[in-house]
Amino acid sequence: MENGFKDERKMEPPSGFSPHKVDPGKPAPLTWQRKLNCKGTLPSEFALTFQEKMHMAPIGIRLLRHAKEEAAKGRMAIFDFFSKRTIAGHHGVPLGGIGAGSIGRNYTGGFQRFQLFPKLSEESPILANQFSVFVSRPNGGKFSTVLCTESPEVPKKGTASGIETWDWNLNGGKCTYHALFPRAWTTYEGEPDPELTIVSRQISPFIPHNYKESSFPVSVFTFTVSNKGRTSADVTLVFTWANSVGGVSGFSGQHFNSKMVTANEQAPVTFAIAAEETDGVHVSECPCFLISGDSQGITAKDMWHEIKKHGSFDHLDHNETPMPSKPGSSIGAAIAASLTIPSDSIRTVTFSLSWDCPELRFSHNTYHRRYTRFYGTHGDAAASIARDAILEHAHWESQIEAWQRPILEDKRLPEWYPITLFNELYYLNSGGTMWTDGSLPMQSLGTIGKRKFFLDNTRSNITNTVDMSHQNDTAVDILERMASKLDQMHTPVTSNSAFGTYLLQNGEENIGQFLYLEGTEYLMYNTYDVHFYSSFALLMLFPKLELSIQRDFAAAVMMHDPERMKIMNDGMWVPRKVLGSVPHDIGLNDPWSEVNAYNLFNTDTWKDLNSKFVLQVYRDMVATGDKNFARAVWPSVFVAMAYMDQFDKDGDGMIENEGFPDQTYDAWSVKGVSAYSGGLWVAALQAASAMACEVGDKAAANHFWVKYQKAKAVYDTLWNGSYFNYDNSGGSSSASIQADQLAGQWYTRACGLSPIVDEDKIRSTLEKIYNYNVLKVKEGMRGAVNGMLPDGRVDLSAMQSREIWSGVTYSVAATMIQEEMVEMAFQTAVGVYETAWSQEGLGYSFQTPEGWNTNDQYRALCYMRPLAIWAMQWALTKPELSKPELRHEVSEDNGYSTHHAGYEKVAHLLKLPKDESAKSLLQIIYEYTCKRL
């Protein structure tokens, strides 16, 4: 850990600074609010019915066995069965930019949910990480408190010398937390001094369309202190930080308060805490104090009493030479900012927190984070990042204010909507997000095996991509040579991975590659069927990152990985990924190289992924106008469409589902022509035709247009007079009213394409969904339930049919907005706000789950799909699209026949081999019994 610095220079406005200065002591006009003494609702987890337990038992047993096998190899499974999760209901705005690690902050003042390494999230708070305030008046009045309503347990035995000796006496009833991501404010009215008002403003560099500062691992805290008393007040604000990355890491020993080396072979981390020293603010530091244990040095109690006695650390006698902590001991550091505030005056104090963890380690591959392009890869930049943040954060806030203000001031919107719109963005910070510098991974020299190589002894062909003036650093020299050699030797390996950077054209910027988890409980990166919903947030705010994800999946379409993986549903072994299929996810233990971490079903046979790929790529093309992107990914679009031909069993142009959960609703079976997958397929055919026009493939444009017309006619057969049936199989759910049945229509309208069904049918369907799926559940205050029977009962045929998915509810509302049914849209979406974000809700704020059931039990906290609220914003703003001119020659002439024959050959070569394995008699009997139950 690197401690605070003193910046003796006068602060100069950075170049390009906006003249609009934001008052850090004034919260935004609309915010999510809680009193600090609000206990919050503890979320209740879902429970399976007896029938669901019977049905899922074999999968559960195989998953548990698989998880144990993976753990034995030092790998993680997609569900973590072995880590005990800490569930809380008082989360707040997290810290940091995008993809550089995240540290959570709850509204009571605590720091928790440490996500500094891939796949890992330490949920429990570290109570030594605190802001505290000390006040002294000329009349002898003294006040002090930790600015947090949580407190540590007092030890039953021995003499207390740890943080339990601090003054944990904040009256939370007088304090209010305000959240509007990426900022948060806490107002302390008369706490701890009745004549002081303190406002703490927290800000992180989440700045739309900014691809530099938005990658920085840092947050800035500005305290605005108002003295309403008749006398001056001597005030000291203290920031303490433990040398820990969460969990038990702080007690592992051998920690220096200079640089931290983590346990379990994780990458090194350096923290820095800093304060700005100005004419009226004096900064002092305590480089190391003992939080707990028996290491030598100043204790937490000593540190606290030093400030109470002197108001600073200037008289503190500390060892200049850092000593390592002992195992079982935990150490921290503190920085203090002291100032005198005259009567009826206001002063500000600014702190910052940064961390430097430059490496992302997966299997044998090591990547560097995006911010290292600006601060280097040596892990020694935390102090520089903290310092620069103090200098630049006012400029960041000006840009954030300019982005948010028009939406906050739009009187057409209900107040809850902009608050929820911005706060749902928390997931782009704390959803296990990682953003690389775009370079190929560094690989261990040990992975080269017996191949002969020579480490070049010259430097003429080596370029240091980071201007950090390390010309005389031998280690840097050797590392550069190793990197150059590894790049040469591993090119055949990396070119067989899903690295979309290969699709960049000459001169195009490599913005890096982006990862985020499906959920903190569902460990898969960039889960594509879910990204279909959440991608509107990235497209509107960071479109270059959205295009980067699509390039990766375009590369993955062209990838074939014959490595066998076991499917949990039936125990069969299948190839990890076949040519032409869109992977479910980009991987977990070795992203981009080992895709499809998901193994519940064989997603090569899913019916929604390829259609979603085509629709997203087309939408992103018309949204950005990026023609290079369109040309680069078009071959993957063509192959993805051809791959799907094998699922059109009767040649009528429409794909059919195959009687198992072969789409994003992976616990809700569907068979035959379906409203969800079928609608996506019809929309994808139209999008593929339009994209073919854009790239100049006239024959393909005509081919897909002809297929679109045929599939559209088949899709219309699902219409029953008021909505589209779930499927045409005649099963128990066939007539179910699916909330998500117009997903294909939603995307066609979002892309500027023609409707795939008649306008009156769209409106009728949306009215049916609203009147049944929305209004018949908890008086319309929970969102849209996935399945509702025509008689008004919730469809209980599957776990997911009886769930309400927050992201799907948002997407249904977006569809309503597109059809000018705006009031109905907000009445639909408000159920998610009431459930997840309101004070009377279920405690899901800043951890919105995938969904909840009608018993108010959640499944999968902290999930990707709720970012779909930005699809509502997309529909409201109606962005200008760069649509191609569509000219279709629909006659099936010789040219069409020639192209069709070629297309059929491609489709035939992509066809999956028939499954020759027969189910055992025992398995057949078991499945029959489950169906009867």
Side-chain angles (χ1 to χ4, degrees), residues 507-555:
E508 285 191 286
E509 181 184 10
N510 183 350
I511 203 67
Q513 291 172 282
F514 184 79
L515 296 174
Y516 64 146
L517 290 169
E518 177 179 333
T520 55
E521 299 177 30
Y522 286 30
L523 304 179
M524 294 154 279
Y525 288 113
N526 296 359
T527 298
Y528 201 71
D529 57 305
V530 184
H531 181 71
F532 176 76
Y533 297 83
S534 62
S535 57
F536 285 90
L538 279 178
L539 180 60
M540 294 190 76
L541 304 177
F542 299 95
K544 292 181 181 179
L545 287 180
E546 167 63 13
L547 293 186
S548 174
I549 289 176
Q550 301 301 347
R551 289 191 192 95
D552 288 345
F553 277 90

Side-chain angles (χ1 to χ4, degrees), residues 676-698:
Y676 184 73
S677 298
L680 291 170
W681 174 243
V682 175
L685 285 166
Q686 185 184 174
S689 178
M691 191 168 185
C693 288
E694 177 61 46
V695 300
D697 192 339
K698 178 181 175 182

Side-chain angles (χ1 to χ4, degrees), residues 463-745:
T463 303
N464 186 1
T465 59
V466 183
D467 183 16
M468 293 295 291
S469 302
H470 288 293
Q471 292 89 342
N472 298 319
D473 192 325
T474 304
V476 174
D477 177 21
I478 297 300
L479 286 169
E480 287 174 350
R481 297 183 193 185
M482 287 181 174
S484 177
K485 180 59 60 178
L486 285 164
D487 281 351
Q488 297 171 28
M489 301 191 72
H490 286 287
T491 295
V493 177
T494 53
S495 62
N496 290 330
S497 302
F499 288 111
T501 49
Y502 286 120
L503 297 175
L504 289 168
Q505 308 297 297
N506 290 335
E508 285 191 286
E509 181 184 10
N510 183 350
I511 203 67
Q513 291 172 282
F514 184 79
L515 296 174
Y516 64 146
L517 290 169
E518 177 179 333
T520 55
E521 299 177 30
Y522 286 30
L523 304 179
M524 294 154 279
Y525 288 113
N526 296 359
T527 298
Y528 201 71
D529 57 305
V530 184
H531 181 71
F532 176 76
Y533 297 83
S534 62
S535 57
F536 285 90
L538 279 178
L539 180 60
M540 294 190 76
L541 304 177
F542 299 95
K544 292 181 181 179
L545 287 180
E546 167 63 13
L547 293 186
S548 174
I549 289 176
Q550 301 301 347
R551 289 191 192 95
D552 288 345
F553 277 90
V557 168
M558 300 302 210
M559 181 174 131
H560 182 84
D561 186 352
E563 178 196 0
R564 310 295 280 183
M565 60 184 288
K566 189 175 183 179
I567 299 302
M568 299 294 102
N569 176 60
D570 55 15
M572 302 299 296
W573 290 85
V574 301
R576 177 168 292 279
K577 160 75 177 64
V578 300
L579 178 64
S581 68
V582 173
H584 172 276
D585 54 80
I586 215 70
L588 173 63
N589 290 295
D590 198 0
W592 300 292
S593 297
E594 188 184 280
V595 302
N596 273 340
Y598 179 91
N599 59 356
L600 299 188
F601 294 92
N602 180 7
T603 59
D604 288 338
T605 62
W606 274 23
K607 310 306 182 295
D608 62 338
L609 290 168
N610 285 44
S611 297
K612 287 175 174 177
F613 169 69
V614 175
L615 286 168
Q616 288 183 74
V617 163
Y618 179 77
R619 179 205 57 191
D620 296 352
M621 177 193 79
V622 297
T624 63
D626 193 327
K627 306 299 174 60
N628 286 331
F629 167 76
R631 286 188 287 269
V633 301
W634 169 247
S636 297
V637 170
F638 186 91
V639 169
M641 293 299 291
Y643 179 85
M644 294 298 288
D645 253 33
Q646 63 189 296
F647 304 121
D648 177 8
K649 305 297 184 182
D650 52 12
D652 61 356
M654 172 59 77
I655 61 170
E656 290 90 28
N657 294 89
E658 297 184 90
F660 70 98
D662 51 357
Q663 26 73 47
T664 196
Y665 296 89
D666 58 354
W668 192 7
S669 294
V670 58
K671 187 175 183 180
V673 179
S674 69
Y676 184 73
S677 298
L680 291 170
W681 174 243
V682 175
L685 285 166
Q686 185 184 174
S689 178
M691 191 168 185
C693 288
E694 177 61 46
V695 300
D697 192 339
K698 178 181 175 182
N702 290 334
H703 175 84
F704 289 126
W705 186 256
V706 170
K707 288 180 72 80
Y708 163 67
Q709 296 291 348
K710 291 180 178 179
K712 182 181 177 184
V714 177
Y715 185 72
D716 204 50
T717 63
L718 292 172
W719 180 251
N720 63 18
S722 58
Y723 63 95
F724 292 88
N725 285 328
Y726 181 68
D727 65 26
N728 68 352
S729 69
S732 60
S733 287
S734 288
S736 188
I737 308 165
Q738 185 182 13
D740 213 2
Q741 61 185 278
L742 290 180
Q745 169 58 30

